Amino acid sequence: MSMNTLLEVSGVSVSFDGFKAINNLSFQIGPAELRAVIGPNGAGKTTFMDIVTGKTRPDEGRILWGEKSVSLLNMSEAQIARAGVGRKFQKPTVFETQTVRENLMMALKNKRDWWAVLTFKPRSNDFDRIQKVAQEIGLAEQLDRVAAELSHGQKQWLEIGMLLAQEPRLLLVDEPAAGMTPEEREHTTALLVEAAKTRAVVVVEHDMEFVRRLNCKVTVLHEGAVLAEGALDHVTANPDVIDVYLGR
């Protein structure tokens, strides 16, 4: 694994009741890179994220992480999260009755044992960090608002902010543009592009227009394997991609 690779998935397969959801998949991403993952339903996009985050264990293959090429397969979901892998699901899961500030405060990267959580008292640099994240996600003016009052798009940004507060080195984001207004989508694009300047960001997305705006390398999955990889125009001109995905 080279120095400019943060995550390397190689020869990974996983079956559910005889169905190969992931089939000899290989994938790698650098430490500060934005990548879009596309493909038809059932292509293995969610299973791929489940495997990287430790939710699903592969039948074979290896997943190496970081400069020391540590195997993620020996770690629990919590250990993988602590190692720096953050995941955002499609539906935002924020604490609705808490303010934006409180949501971000709960997410800050701090010790997570029960005593540390019980005795936690925010320090001034915690407040500075929250201000910085709120600025980054465009919610600096909304810090005292209760999360339930936010729009769908703002809740999505808050959840991305909660992940950023944990300082992940890899961010896995599932369909961030779903249900957003055009303005919200534009802001989401800018947010993900900015985040990828200092960490790896993988965006699983169906919306081709949104993927085009991300202006990044695209990986096309089909039947649990990589079908094509490269710039969006390159992969969308690929006859196999047109056949299995775009032509549908």
Side-chain angles (χ1 to χ4, degrees):
M1 190 159 136
S2 73
M3 279 302 287
N4 46 5
T5 303
L6 175 66
L7 174 78
E8 184 182 331
V9 175
S10 56
V12 165
S13 296
V14 65
S15 299
F16 301 117
D17 301 326
F19 167 70
K20 255 200 157 95
I22 296 288
N23 187 6
N24 194 24
L25 174 70
S26 293
F27 174 94
Q28 54 185 50
I29 190 166
E33 184 186 343
L34 180 58
R35 180 79 57 88
V37 176
I38 65 172
N41 286 334
K45 303 184 295 293
T46 301
T47 310
F48 160 68
M49 290 198 286
D50 286 348
I51 286 170
V52 173
T53 53
K55 194 176 175 197
T56 296
R57 296 285 165 190
D59 305 324
E60 56 188 326
R62 58 183 196 163
I63 302 176
L64 301 178
W65 171 255
E67 292 73 16
K68 294 183 176 169
S69 298
V70 200
S71 172
L72 290 187
L73 298 178
N74 304 329
M75 296 188 197
S76 67
E77 284 184 70
Q79 287 170 326
I80 291 173
R82 280 199 296 273
V85 178
R87 179 177 185 180
K88 187 204 165 318
F89 291 88
Q90 197 175 338
K91 193 172 180 295
T93 47
V94 298
F95 298 100
E96 299 267 341
T97 58
Q98 308 288 318
T99 64
V100 169
R101 187 190 314 276
E102 288 164 339
N103 269 278
L104 292 172
M105 187 67 81
M106 282 188 272
L108 278 180
K109 185 176 184 177
N110 282 307
K111 284 187 177 170
R112 283 273 179 253
D113 62 81
W114 65 270
W115 179 248
V117 171
L118 274 180
T119 57
F120 175 68
K121 283 193 174 52
R123 300 177 301 269
S124 65
N125 60 342
D126 290 330
F127 289 108
D128 294 344
R129 177 93 186 103
I130 283 171
Q131 195 65 43
K132 187 169 175 292
V133 172
Q135 207 78 47
E136 203 176 328
I137 58 175
L139 293 179
E141 305 296 311
Q142 316 287 342
L143 278 168
D144 295 315
R145 273 186 83 185
V146 173
E149 296 173 2
L150 300 177
S151 72
H152 170 73
Q154 289 173 321
K155 284 180 185 173
Q156 296 279 31
W157 305 333
L158 175 54
E159 191 173 26
I160 292 172
M162 289 167 75
L163 281 172
L164 294 177
Q166 293 164 27
E167 297 170 30
R169 300 190 62 199
L170 168 65
L171 198 51
L172 302 168
V173 188
D174 196 3
E175 294 198 36
M180 285 194 178
T181 65
E183 294 76 23
E184 287 175 337
R185 295 153 71 88
E186 212 162 293
H187 180 67
T188 305
T189 307
L191 198 136
L192 294 170
V193 168
E194 187 58 36
K197 289 178 181 173
T198 51
R199 56 179 64 76
V201 179
V202 175
V203 181
V204 168
E205 188 52 76
H206 276 294
D207 186 318
M208 285 297 140
E209 200 38 57
F210 187 75
V211 172
R212 182 169 295 286
R213 284 177 170 199
L214 291 174
N215 190 26
C216 64
K217 187 174 179 181
V218 176
T219 300
V220 186
L221 294 189
H222 176 55
E223 293 180 350
V226 174
L227 181 64
E229 208 163 54
L232 184 63
D233 287 336
H234 170 75
V235 299
T236 51
N238 181 313
D240 294 334
V241 176
I242 294 166
D243 187 39
V244 305
Y245 185 40
L246 302 173
R248 290 184 176 186

